[in-house]
Amino acid sequence: MTINACLNNLNDEKVITFLNGILGLEDYKKYIILDHPESDVIKWIQSVDEPQIALPVVNPYSFYPDYAPEISEEDLKRLKISSAEEALALCVITISQDTSTITVNLKAPIIINVSERLADQLIAENADYSIRQPLDIRRIHDDRRCKSC
C-alpha cells in the first residue's frame, strides 16, 4: 500500500493535530505516526496533508533514560497536559547523507497529548540539551538498550 492510499483511508482517530506545526513546517498541522519497517526504535511523523513530508523520530527515553526536558507550564497547558503520564515525547533524528552519522534533537522535542491527539514541537529550557546530539541506534545489549545508553 502506498502512502497516498494509506492517507486516503485514514481513520481520524489516528490524526495528531499540531497547534503551531513543526518548526520549519508550520503550515502543516495534521500528522500520523507510522512504524519504520524492521525497526521498533524509529517511527515517522507523516504529514496528512502533504505526503512528501515525513520526519524520522525516536522516543528519547530509549537512548537517554534520564532525559527530562523542561517545558514551560504555558506550553503544557495549551496541549491540555497536566501530568507527565498524559504526554509522549518524540525527538526528530537526522541521518547524514552517507548514513554514518545520526543525531537527535533533544532541544526541541515533539510533545504529544496522547488522549487529546494534540502536539507541538517545543523548546526545552535545559541549557545542556543539543539539537545535534550524537546517536548510535545499533543495539548491543540483550535488554534492548542501544549503544547510546
Side-chain angles (χ1 to χ4, degrees), residues 42-111:
I42 299 171
K43 305 283 185 199
W44 290 87
I45 296 280
Q46 170 68 58
S47 170
V48 171
D49 300 317
E50 179 52 64
Q52 303 270 340
I53 297 174
L55 299 171
V57 294
V58 294
N59 182 327
Y61 302 102
S62 297
F63 303 95
Y64 302 97
D66 297 329
Y67 182 65
E70 295 172 13
I71 305 296
S72 76
E73 279 189 48
E74 183 179 307
D75 285 333
L76 294 175
K77 282 182 183 176
R78 276 195 294 261
L79 292 172
K80 301 179 183 177
I81 293 173
S82 56
S83 70
E85 292 75 28
E86 296 173 320
L88 169 66
L90 296 173
C91 292
V92 176
I93 63 172
T94 303
I95 304 168
S96 66
Q97 209 164 19
D98 66 1
T99 69
S100 65
T101 305
I102 300 173
T103 60
V104 61
N105 182 348
L106 296 178
K107 187 67 174 173
I110 293 171
I111 306 295

Side-chain angles (χ1 to χ4, degrees), residues 90-147:
L90 296 173
C91 292
V92 176
I93 63 172
T94 303
I95 304 168
S96 66
Q97 209 164 19
D98 66 1
T99 69
S100 65
T101 305
I102 300 173
T103 60
V104 61
N105 182 348
L106 296 178
K107 187 67 174 173
I110 293 171
I111 306 295
I112 302 170
N113 179 326
V114 178
S115 63
E116 296 286 333
R117 311 299 292 171
L118 293 175
D120 242 339
Q121 187 173 26
L122 303 171
I123 305 299
E125 297 172 7
N126 312 61
D128 55 333
Y129 287 160
S130 169
I131 62 170
R132 290 186 186 91
Q133 179 69 36
L135 185 67
D136 190 339
I137 62 172
R138 294 176 291 165
R139 295 197 181 274
I140 61 166
H141 301 282
D142 290 337
D143 64 2
R144 300 175 51 96
R145 288 183 301 138
C146 298
K147 192 170 182 178

